[in-house]
Amino acid sequence: MSSTIATGFNSVSGLEADFRSFADMGVEAVELTLTTLDLIAGGRVVPERAERFIELTSQFDFRNMVHGAVPSNLMDPAVCRYQIDAGKALVELSDRIDARVLVQHSGHCRADQLLDGPGFEERKREALFRARRIPQAL
């Protein structure tokens, strides 16, 4: 028999109202889809938007979790560089709101790329490794 360790909700819009409602309900954890909040552009964190977001999240005692970009595809070499940049920005934001869980789907390959399966897996592992590294300048 398992036991529930937290109760949480996903919030993607109307954050302040959602957060207040969640706090009133006793929610312990919130999964945030940061890519829908216009906090990242061109693979970089937008500082003024991020600061407002960080200020808002600091007002609540939730265990924050982050969901990465759903259309991300770390297996496609044509877009992998952009996905890594966006992933690094998500890691940076996750760190700044003390989110210790970041869910990131690794992508898919097209039918015409299936013969390169082992190459895709290696690229995916390398991309995830590179995306999780936050520059020391933070």
Short mmCIF file of all heavy atoms in Angstrom, two decimals, residues 2 98 105 121:
data_model
loop_
_atom_site.label_atom_id
_atom_site.label_comp_id
_atom_site.label_asym_id
_atom_site.label_seq_id
_atom_site.Cartn_x
_atom_site.Cartn_y
_atom_site.Cartn_z
N SER A 2 0.60 2.16 -0.87
CA SER A 2 1.38 3.38 -0.94
C SER A 2 0.66 4.50 -0.20
O SER A 2 -0.54 4.43 0.04
CB SER A 2 1.64 3.78 -2.39
OG SER A 2 0.43 4.10 -3.01
N ASP A 98 13.62 27.38 -6.55
CA ASP A 98 13.89 26.21 -5.72
C ASP A 98 13.06 25.00 -6.13
O ASP A 98 12.64 24.21 -5.29
CB ASP A 98 13.67 26.55 -4.23
CG ASP A 98 14.33 25.52 -3.33
OD1 ASP A 98 15.38 24.98 -3.72
OD2 ASP A 98 13.78 25.25 -2.24
N HIS A 105 10.42 15.95 -21.38
CA HIS A 105 10.31 14.85 -22.34
C HIS A 105 11.41 15.03 -23.38
O HIS A 105 11.69 16.14 -23.82
CB HIS A 105 8.93 14.85 -22.99
CG HIS A 105 7.83 14.71 -21.98
ND1 HIS A 105 7.51 13.51 -21.40
CD2 HIS A 105 7.02 15.63 -21.41
CE1 HIS A 105 6.54 13.69 -20.53
NE2 HIS A 105 6.22 14.98 -20.51
N GLU A 121 19.61 8.10 -29.17
CA GLU A 121 19.72 7.92 -27.72
C GLU A 121 20.96 8.62 -27.18
O GLU A 121 20.92 9.26 -26.14
CB GLU A 121 19.72 6.44 -27.35
CG GLU A 121 18.38 5.78 -27.52
CD GLU A 121 17.29 6.42 -26.68
OE1 GLU A 121 17.52 6.70 -25.48
OE2 GLU A 121 16.19 6.65 -27.22
#
